[in-house]
Amino acid sequence: MNIGFIGLGNMGAPMAANLAAAGHAVKGFDVAGTTAEGVTQVATAAEAATGADVVITMLPNGEILRSVAADIISHMSKGAVLLDCSTVDVGSARAVAELASAADVGVLDAPVSGGIGGAAGGTLTFMVGGSPEAFATAKPLFDIMGQKAVHCGASGSGQAAKICNNMILGVTMIATCEAFALADKLGLSREAMFDVVSTSSGYSWSMNAYCPAPGVGPQSPADNGYLPGFAADLMLKDLRLSQQAAEAADADTPLGQAATELYRTFVEDEDGSGKDFSAMLPRLEKRGRG
Ligand code: NAD
């Protein structure tokens, strides 16, 4: 396929390189001038989009996505697919879908889970919203960039799935960190905590696969000085998107709200920016109730 790839950052660059390595012709554009192995660098987003069967965007936020989409859609061929893999608000995903549909361009919102390691290794999970036809066009590309693509429903449902998942992740990470900090004060060893909880009803991905306590459980950012991994700043971004969506949909999400406020404090008022989101444990372990 002819592929345009816009946004060659930490995630986009390895994803584009994997598509090129699999034999696709990839034209890439990034405002920062970055490129990726095997990708032909072009001077504008419109140039990347012209003549492409699929245009992939991997951008920081919904505002930038809307402006890039408004710029490129008129340059895309009818029947081509705009595949956005960024994490953005549901409203932006739906607005871009409307613009694309009006121009007879297919569109998918397909945010990912799996992080930089998943992007490099081609093992991402895609959560996809959009038409079955557009999904079928993009499926061979999902198979190269990832290990699983779930078609969640109409436009916006990929982003909806992503923010619901990450709201659970933010809440369970905080709960896991709270429990470790309490266990410390009750004199329980971290090894015992991990051994019990990881095989009991308190288990979760945060405990079992990404344990926030160094030296116990599988290797995780906790064993690497809490370097991300998945940065607390990005968790805050996703939690905010979940609360924005909850407000728009009039959904009661008290723990999602509390998690958003805690990560906001950590990132904006304390020293959490640039640390992994599991660094909530060293934050909590230092504190008392006051
Ligand atoms: P990043 O900041 O490394 O990359 C974004 C890239 O977009 C940058 O290189 C930037 O120069 C480029 N860009 C910005 N405006 C542009 C424009 N107008 N035209 C062209 N390029 C433009 O971010 P990332 O870590 O690659 O994340 C990208 C998206 O993936 C985000 O929405 C993020 O939330 C999501 N995500 C990231 C991770 C992760 O672990 N990093 C995991 C899952 C999802």
Side-chain angles (χ1 to χ4, degrees), residues 83-214:
L83 168 57
D84 176 47
C85 296
S86 331
T87 303
V88 303
D89 57 289
V90 176
S92 291
R94 293 195 172 136
V96 166
E98 272 176 32
L99 268 185
S101 304
D104 280 333
V105 164
V107 63
L108 296 169
D109 53 291
V112 304
S113 152
I116 296 165
T123 57
L124 295 168
T125 296
F126 291 86
M127 309 150 218
V128 192
S131 72
E133 296 74 27
F135 183 79
T137 303
K139 181 75 172 61
L141 306 184
F142 292 140
D143 291 342
I144 293 164
M145 297 185 287
Q147 60 184 354
K148 188 167 183 184
V150 181
H151 190 201
C152 301
S155 288
S157 34
Q159 297 296 350
K162 169 81 184 174
I163 58 177
C164 288
N165 179 75
N166 279 24
M167 186 173 78
I168 295 173
L169 177 61
V171 169
T172 56
M173 180 53 82
I174 291 169
T176 304
C177 293
E178 278 183 10
F180 266 118
L182 172 61
D184 286 349
K185 293 198 175 180
L186 298 177
L188 201 60
S189 80
R190 288 187 163 180
E191 194 64 52
M193 253 299 276
F194 178 81
D195 284 350
V196 170
V197 176
S198 64
T199 52
S200 299
S201 46
Y203 85 102
S204 69
W205 185 87
S206 296
M207 175 60 87
N208 292 39
Y210 204 94
C211 184

Side-chain angles (χ1 to χ4, degrees), residues 211-215 220-227 276 278:
C211 184
S220 69
D223 299 303
N224 191 26
Y226 294 99
L227 287 176
D276 189 76
S278 61

Side-chain angles (χ1 to χ4, degrees), residues 6-13 15 29-34 45 58-62 64-65 67-68 85-88 111-117 124 162 166 229-231 234 237-238 241:
I6 300 169
L8 298 165
N10 289 323
M11 296 291 288
M15 291 163 72
F29 171 71
D30 190 297
V31 274
T34 51
M58 193 52 167
L59 297 163
N61 60 48
I64 293 175
L65 170 67
S67 95
V68 168
C85 296
S86 331
T87 303
V88 303
V112 304
S113 152
I116 296 165
L124 295 168
K162 169 81 184 174
N166 279 24
F230 183 52
L234 286 180
K237 170 192 167 185
D238 292 357
L241 290 177

